[in-house]
Amino acid sequence: MRLHRLDITAFGPFGGAHSVDFDALSAAGLFLLHGPTGAGKTSVLDAVCYALYGAVPGARQSGQGIGLRSDHAQPRTRTEVRLDLTVAGRRLEITRQPPWERPKLRGAGTTVDKAQTWLREYDTRAGVWKDRSRSHQEIGEEITQLLGMSREQFCQVVLLPQGDFARFLRADAEARGRLLGRLFDTQRFADVERRLAERRRATEARVRDGDAALLADAHRMQQEAGDAMELPDLAPGDPGLADAVLGAAAIARATARERLTVAHCRLTAAESAHAATRRALDDVRELARLQSRFAEARQRAERLQERAGAHQEAQRRMERSRKAEAVAPALELREAAEEEHHRAAAAEARTRGMLPDSYADAGAAGLAAAARRAAEELGGLDAARRAERRLAELAEERAGLDRQERADEDVLREAEAWLAEWDATRTALRSRVDSAQEAATRAEQLAVRREPMQGRLDAARTRDRLAADLEGARRTAAASEQRALDARAHWLDLKEQRLSGIAAELAAHLTDGEPCAVCGATEHPAPARKVAGHVDRETEDRALAAYQRAEEQHTEDERRLGGVRAALAAATAEAGDAPTAQLEADAVELEQEYTRARRAASALHATHEELRHAEHEHERRLADRQQAAVRAASRLTRRETLEREQTQLEAQLAKARGNSGSVAARAAQLERQAALLTDAADAVRAAEDAAQRLKDADARLADAAYRAGFDTPQAAAAALLDAAARRELQHRLDAWQAEEAAVHAVLAEADTAAAAQHPPADLPAAERAAAAAEHRLREAASARDAAARCCAELDRLSAGATKAVRRLAPLREEYDRVARLAALTAGTSADNDRKMRLESYVLAARLEQVAAAATARLQRMSSGRYTLVHSDDRTGRGRSGLGLHVVDAWTGRERDTATLSGGETFFASLALALGLADVVTDEAGGVRLDTLFIDEGFGSLDDQTLDEVLDVLDSLRERDRSVGIVSHVPDLRRRIHAQLEVVKGRAGSTLRQRGV
């Protein structure tokens, strides 16, 4: 990650807009950020953190971000932070605006604008910035993924706060664990500890629940068995719980089976006694039933004798009813005729009441003749109605002519007004068409120049980039050439040394009695001996291989240098000698001119269409004016014709209306009169017909009553029964006959008569004896059922307890295994002699890496005196794993980091911070951190130590890193030339760059 530029507006102590050019500051590798206390040095670092993560470090974070706004800012100046950086090979620009409480645009008071965030990326091919996102969440996830670290990690490894690391050196294991836990992703190991503890508790609970359930089954078995089962005093978790429960259950089941056998014997005896008493009770009940039946029959016979007179009267009434049924049709016909006569008379009275008094005595024929005369007069009004409708149509048509006349007057007035401005409108539109046409021609000419200009500009940029790369390629080629020469010289030296000592190498293979490979002698009295610095063949071959690799690298560097030169020459030939800035300005000016021409030419089609529509409108307006004049002439002729026809129709209607207001009113009056007369004539005829039918019905009824044997029709009507009364009377007669037959049948039975001769039956005594036997039987059956139920329940509970014991066995094994693992990871197990938790173990490994990385710089800062080492020793009653000691090379002893002096603590914490930055960077995926900041602490160093610390920081530039030091120390301003000064003032702080 490399920072390029930071723009701050109304942020923290900075009331206005300020910029920081990190590219210029980073060119020196080491730069100083200084200023008086409270000026805002830390606010610059806060702005970097806020741009990346939308929040500032630690306690300076102020909730919703409104506290980030400068108190020195103007009311309508919005707080904004913009950061230009390169991360993971991508050039990004992040702009953040926190929530802003601004004055309202209208009225008094303030309102809060929401936070805004933009993310842009520079497209190197197109050479432009492209928008990527405006979502807070998407941008936050994108930056966190690219950096590979959280805000806490970033603030710890990029913005190195020395005070935190000084406290880290003196902190105990718990405090170090909290800091390392925030920097390294060890949450998963803490989750493993928690998961194992939860699983141990869950498994333990399941085991206890299983024991409790087993003990509950045992108590239920004890309740069922009673005194047959003795259960010792046990609790969940006792080792002998399962054996005790199963043993007691076996004894209880055996005792319950013995009791069940005894209950079966008692039940058999009770069943025999109960059967004997039931048979005796049945005999007594049968005798009592027959005696009761005989007495009841005698009582029923006496009641029949008492009701004999009423039965004979009912028979006579039924006979008269059968005779009256022959008169029933005549009675019904007479009632219908009388009802119809009443309705007809009422209708006649109602219709006569609606007629004038002159028709009060008129008969049906006179009323019908009057109705016909009214209908004939009504038919003569059809022509008058048509004339009346035509008169209304004429009035509507004249109103329509008036409306058309007014509409045509509006059309003529509007057309005249529009045509008066036609010449000016046409001239203006044609002028706009000509201007747009000229702009289109200009845009085509500029478009031809755009592509060559862009090609020259790209070539100029490539030329500038290759010119900068050429010097680096030259240095690389020269360095590789020198390495190749040095490797060749080294190889030749080794070869010469090997040739000088070749005799010793050959002598190493001589064996007594075997010929020499050089002279052939079999005796070797004085073989050559290897001297110090002898070079063997393998060493010479390694030197030769190193020389060949260096030569190949030199050849590759020369080839790359030639390629850069050729590309530079091609780019120079295409771009020419014009500076890139001039070409960029020419290209921007050409693009702006082209854009203006395109924008002006884009109106050509719309202007053409507007002119065409205006010409069509001109033609339409002329046609409208001519048509309106023609319609005015035709309306004058039509109005005269309508007036003559209207005069004729009004004379005809005056005669037809008579005294009525209109023909329609006269027609309605005649229609109502004809309808009333017709209804009255029909009602009179209906009343006369109904009176005749009633007279005929009276004659037929009298004749039918005489033939049926009744003196008068009224007597026949009184004897007639309705259906319900007839059914009820018949039911009473049938019931009498049935009861008489039933009584005679009972009295004739032999068994009933014989039972009546015996003494009265003693049924209560027999029932008491049967109830006592049944009670004894129920007790025996209940005892047998209880014994059987007890056996079954004990068998069921015993089977369940056996299954529970089998099921608990593997669960107990799982609990033992999980408990051991949980205790081991939690540091409470006896096997974990250092009492180290799993998360502490992982953090200890990370701390060991940090100590190793910090030692490489600490030894240089302390001139080789101090070394940081990780310790697993326990301190007091605490757990081990996160100890940190320092080894003093002057004494050879190891001591705690809390014993370091102020200056020693500073460079030890600085080394620890730099080492932690390297380890966290590797942990985060190896993201390259090209810009680091170190905050305060240099005032505690002497001159020599300060020089050593600055040398270590300067060595960070080996990988093209830049380090910013935040300090008040005046000596640093003389030693570090690239500076960013924060100047404090009443109107807010300002930024000033020096030495860049």
Side-chain angles (χ1 to χ4, degrees), residues 16-351:
H18 304 278
S19 298
V20 180
D21 188 354
F22 283 111
D23 285 336
L25 291 172
S26 301
L30 198 64
F31 63 91
L32 178 66
L33 174 59
H34 69 94
T37 301
K41 301 185 297 297
T42 305
S43 295
V44 176
L45 309 184
D46 290 346
V48 174
C49 183
Y50 180 72
L52 292 173
Y53 294 96
V56 296
R60 297 191 294 277
Q61 175 67 17
S62 57
Q64 300 299 322
I66 298 180
L68 301 177
R69 178 171 175 79
S70 175
D71 295 333
H72 303 284
Q74 294 297 322
R76 296 193 178 277
T77 301
R78 178 153 192 177
T79 303
E80 181 179 278
V81 176
R82 180 182 292 109
L83 180 63
D84 181 5
L85 76 159
T86 297
V87 58
R90 297 171 61 184
R91 182 77 174 265
L92 303 175
E93 182 187 83
I94 309 169
T95 303
R96 290 188 186 270
Q97 295 177 347
W100 178 37
E101 187 175 359
R102 60 168 178 81
K104 292 183 178 179
L105 299 178
R106 296 180 180 87
T110 61
T111 183
V112 178
D113 284 349
K114 294 182 179 179
Q116 301 288 332
T117 307
W118 296 271
L119 176 63
R120 300 198 304 165
E121 183 173 1
Y122 185 74
D123 190 343
T124 56
R125 294 184 179 180
V128 296
W129 288 95
K130 294 185 177 180
D131 293 334
R132 291 303 182 196
S133 177
R134 291 177 65 94
S135 169
H136 302 291
Q137 182 177 0
E138 291 181 0
I139 295 174
E141 293 176 355
E142 180 81 7
I143 296 301
T144 302
Q145 183 177 4
L146 290 175
L147 291 176
M149 60 184 74
S150 63
R151 176 170 63 91
E152 291 77 8
Q153 292 176 316
F154 177 84
C155 295
Q156 201 72 37
V157 303
V158 179
L159 313 177
L160 303 179
Q162 292 306 300
D164 288 354
F165 284 97
R167 288 191 295 272
F168 182 80
L169 286 173
R170 295 185 173 91
D172 55 11
E174 295 295 331
R176 286 177 183 153
R178 287 193 296 271
L179 176 61
L180 294 174
R182 290 198 306 269
L183 297 179
F184 299 102
D185 186 14
T186 58
Q187 184 60 38
R188 57 188 183 277
F189 301 105
D191 293 340
V192 170
E193 295 180 29
R194 185 175 64 257
R195 176 59 179 160
L196 285 174
E198 292 175 353
R199 188 173 176 185
R200 177 187 60 77
R201 289 192 295 270
T203 310
E204 182 181 10
R206 291 168 61 190
V207 171
R208 286 188 173 275
D209 291 344
D211 286 348
L214 180 62
L215 193 57
D217 289 341
H219 287 305
R220 285 196 292 271
M221 285 189 287
Q222 188 178 31
Q223 292 175 357
E224 290 291 337
D227 58 355
M229 180 177 179
E230 295 182 0
L231 189 65
D233 188 12
L234 297 172
D238 291 348
L241 176 63
D243 294 338
V245 169
L246 295 180
I251 296 173
R253 290 198 307 274
T255 303
R257 290 191 182 91
E258 292 178 358
R259 292 179 177 178
L260 178 60
T261 302
V262 173
H264 269 299
C265 295
R266 291 179 178 175
L267 178 60
T268 302
E271 287 175 346
S272 299
H274 178 260
T277 56
R278 290 299 300 180
R279 286 193 297 272
L281 177 61
D282 291 341
D283 294 341
V284 173
R285 282 177 176 171
E286 180 63 19
L287 178 60
R289 185 185 68 80
L290 293 175
Q291 290 177 348
S292 175
R293 181 179 176 82
F294 182 80
E296 182 182 359
R298 292 292 297 270
Q299 293 175 0
R300 288 163 63 189
E302 291 175 358
R303 285 195 296 272
L304 286 175
Q305 186 64 31
E306 292 174 356
R307 290 185 288 133
H311 174 64
Q312 293 175 358
E313 178 60 27
Q315 285 179 334
R316 287 192 296 270
R317 186 178 177 188
M318 178 61 73
E319 183 63 26
R320 287 175 58 82
S321 174
R322 291 194 185 96
K323 292 179 179 180
E325 287 178 358
V327 189
L331 286 171
E332 293 175 359
L333 183 60
R334 199 271 178 188
E335 291 176 358
E338 186 178 10
E339 183 178 357
E340 184 180 359
H341 178 260
H342 288 317
R343 285 198 302 271
E348 179 184 3
R350 186 174 60 255
T351 54

Side-chain angles (χ1 to χ4, degrees), residues 522-587:
T522 57
E523 296 181 359
H524 317 294
R529 302 294 180 185
K530 291 184 179 179
V531 297
H534 174 69
V535 177
D536 55 12
R537 184 178 184 83
E538 183 178 358
T539 303
E540 179 188 355
D541 291 342
R542 286 198 301 270
L544 176 59
Y547 161 62
Q548 291 173 347
R549 289 193 299 272
E551 186 66 26
E552 291 175 357
Q553 183 63 40
H554 172 59
T555 303
E556 177 63 22
D557 292 341
E558 286 290 340
R559 184 190 62 77
R560 190 179 296 109
L561 176 61
V564 173
R565 285 173 176 167
L568 178 60
T572 303
E574 183 177 356
D577 297 331
T580 303
Q582 180 180 350
L583 291 176
E584 289 177 346
D586 294 342

